[in-house]
Amino acid sequence: MQKKDELYRGKAKTVFLTDSDDKLVLFFRNDTSAFDGEKIEQLERKGEVNNKFNHYIMQKLEAAGIQTQVEELLSDAECLVKKLDMIPVECVVRNIAAGSMVKRLGVEEGLVLSPPTFEFFLKNDALHDPMVNDYHITAFGWATQDQIEEMKRLTFAVNNVLKPLFEEGGMLLVDYKLEFGLDADGNIVLGDEFTPDGCRLWDKETRKKLDKDRFRQGLGSVVESYIEVAKRIGLEL
Ligand code: ADP
Ligand code: UDP
């Protein structure tokens, strides 16, 4: 496999073309951003930690029958993935109220949500990722109703695999964000990443935040916490 031109540079990852039409390289940089790119810092080792974390989680999801982009871990900070035609929405499941839900609905952080909730957000930094619903997605042609149902089904299926995994490590999976895309055959496949940058994880006993809220809220020990999370679920980094 030969890495070729840069296709896209996001806030945290750079995407490269390869000599294979249907494969890309994701390069996980140390850049860490919050508040739609307003706060950006370089955190040592974060690219490597997230790349390996993401690969580990996606392998677990594959083993549970959820189709993911992952082909092969290439190096410390690079992963070979299937090229997907990304659907421009973020799929968020919440088990516990936190973050934007607390601000939007005035509920208390930590409220257990039963059943867990599902929300779509449009991927658009300039508009601050507004919440959208099924009607916006079909009316603007971002995805069909069948694709919407499949994204919801898969996002909840991920909860069934990862909630117990983190729970065994003494953590609560509070919420998480997933992105999906279409592969060459039109299948909905999990893309982007699952790392502590895109989810909330709290220690079950102390409720200590172990995810990107450490960066958002300036709590320190960001990458150290990600490494601890990995260790608790069986990944030594
Ligand atoms: P952002 O776009 O939010 O700044 P990143 O820095 O993580 O995010 O950039 C990664 C970009 O690559 C995102 O736009 C994401 O949708 C896209 N992407 C992730 N996985 C794939 C994939 N398998 N195929 C094509 N594009 C992908
Ligand atoms: N999230 C993300 N990228 C985004 C927005 C949210 O990965 O652009 C994740 C976030 O880390 C959290 C979940 O999605 O785990 C829900 O985020 P929320 O809507 O509470 O927004 P926030 O206040 O975190 O921006």
Side-chain angles (χ1 to χ4, degrees):
M1 195 282 305
Q2 191 73 38
K3 194 165 116 187
K4 297 238 165 150
D5 293 347
E6 183 178 310
L7 175 67
Y8 177 80
R9 186 182 163 92
K11 294 185 295 297
K13 300 192 288 300
T14 307
V15 182
F16 293 93
L17 294 167
T18 69
D19 54 4
S20 165
D21 276 351
D22 56 357
K23 307 266 193 303
L24 297 172
V25 171
L26 295 187
F27 172 65
F28 288 70
R29 306 197 310 275
N30 286 340
D31 293 330
T32 312
S33 79
F35 314 120
D36 304 313
E38 261 176 51
K39 175 175 177 174
I40 300 178
E41 277 174 37
Q42 291 262 319
L43 299 179
E44 210 180 318
R45 279 199 75 201
K46 206 213 49 161
E48 177 208 336
V49 167
N50 273 5
N51 182 40
K52 292 176 180 171
F53 192 106
N54 178 57
H55 184 256
Y56 185 74
I57 292 285
M58 292 227 174
Q59 276 185 319
K60 298 263 181 211
L61 297 176
E62 284 278 350
I66 296 166
Q67 259 195 293
T68 80
Q69 64 183 356
V70 164
E71 292 279 327
E72 190 188 339
L73 197 63
L74 293 175
S75 67
D76 277 356
E78 291 170 311
C79 187
L80 186 67
V81 299
K82 290 189 187 74
K83 182 178 188 173
L84 302 175
D85 186 7
M86 297 303 287
I87 297 171
V89 296
E90 303 184 332
C91 301
V92 172
V93 159
R94 300 177 194 267
N95 294 305
I96 297 176
S100 72
M101 173 181 262
V102 166
K103 288 196 203 115
R104 195 175 348 107
L105 301 180
V107 294
E108 204 179 325
E109 183 183 80
L111 181 76
V112 174
L113 301 167
S114 180
T117 62
F118 183 97
E119 297 159 347
F120 282 120
F121 295 91
L122 177 65
K123 254 185 89 74
N124 186 321
D125 284 336
L127 298 177
H128 305 292
D129 293 354
M131 187 189 269
V132 292
N133 66 28
D134 302 26
Y135 288 91
H136 301 113
I137 295 173
T138 51
F140 294 113
W142 298 322
T144 65
Q145 194 60 46
D146 284 351
Q147 290 166 344
I148 288 171
E149 297 308 331
E150 183 67 352
M151 287 194 283
K152 289 181 184 170
R153 186 185 74 77
L154 290 168
T155 306
F156 280 115
V158 165
N159 207 28
N160 293 337
V161 179
L162 297 187
K163 209 172 151 234
L165 177 74
F166 289 115
E167 199 137 350
E168 281 162 30
M171 291 170 284
L172 296 169
L173 177 58
V174 173
D175 57 32
Y176 55 92
K177 180 270 299 180
L178 302 179
E179 291 179 31
F180 295 91
L182 299 174
D183 70 8
D185 300 321
N187 302 308
I188 300 267
V189 175
L190 178 61
D192 204 49
E193 65 180 80
F194 189 104
T195 67
D197 269 0
C199 70
R200 288 193 170 89
L201 292 160
W202 294 350
D203 180 88
K204 218 156 77 178
E205 302 304 323
T206 65
R207 302 246 155 171
K208 181 181 168 189
K209 295 178 161 93
L210 300 168
D211 53 74
K212 194 161 131 182
D213 271 348
R214 301 202 67 78
F215 176 73
R216 291 191 190 95
Q217 299 174 7
L219 301 173
S221 304
V222 180
V223 179
E224 290 83 347
S225 292
Y226 292 14
I227 292 170
E228 184 189 329
V229 170
K231 188 175 177 160
R232 289 197 197 189
I233 57 169
L235 173 65
E236 210 59 61
L237 291 171

